[in-house]
Amino acid sequence: MSSQISPAPPKSLVEVASAGGFLLTEEGGQPIIDAIAKVRKELDAHRKTLDQIDREPYLSNTPGGKFVSEHARLVAAGDEQSLREVLVQVEQVLDDLESGLSTAMDSYQHVELANGGLIEGSSSV
């Protein structure tokens, strides 16, 4: 049994698309890009509500009220598993997805243009 070292997987969809890992027609990619835009619009519509997540809710000045208030803020925005962080990661995934799709669509256009030139060149031979 031989051990082979395989190359590290690409870190992002942009890297895969840039390396020619996939091509995408405009007809295939545009509906996905439109869906991404809708998700972004929904996130933006709720941005004011999401900004409230960063604030600690006031419950009371009692030790119990202060404890629950701080706990609620930490759950919503206090660490890498909080709702705020998950939403930031969603936006990063959307950015990566959109960039990768755009790159794949551009690559498809370049391949089509190159193939068109080959076809036109071969018909004159």
Side-chain angles (χ1 to χ4, degrees), residues 40-106:
R40 287 184 193 277
K41 191 173 182 176
E42 283 292 317
L43 286 174
D44 287 342
H46 297 290
R47 182 75 52 209
K48 188 173 184 178
T49 303
L50 296 177
D51 289 341
Q52 292 175 354
I53 288 173
D54 292 329
R55 287 181 282 222
E56 194 173 295
Y58 175 76
L59 299 177
S60 73
N61 280 330
T62 66
K66 289 178 181 180
F67 174 81
V68 172
S69 180
E70 172 63 10
H71 179 70
R73 188 195 65 76
L74 287 174
V75 168
D79 64 19
E80 67 276 354
Q81 295 179 340
S82 67
L83 177 59
R84 165 64 70 195
E85 185 59 29
V86 169
L87 293 172
V88 167
Q89 291 173 11
V90 166
E91 289 179 334
Q92 291 169 348
V93 168
L94 292 175
D95 290 344
D96 184 46
L97 179 58
E98 196 168 39
S99 295
L101 293 171
S102 293
T103 300
M105 289 166 58
D106 290 344

Side-chain angles (χ1 to χ4, degrees), residues 100-114:
L101 293 171
S102 293
T103 300
M105 289 166 58
D106 290 344
S107 296
Y108 180 84
Q109 289 291 359
H110 291 298
V111 167
E112 281 295 298
L113 289 172

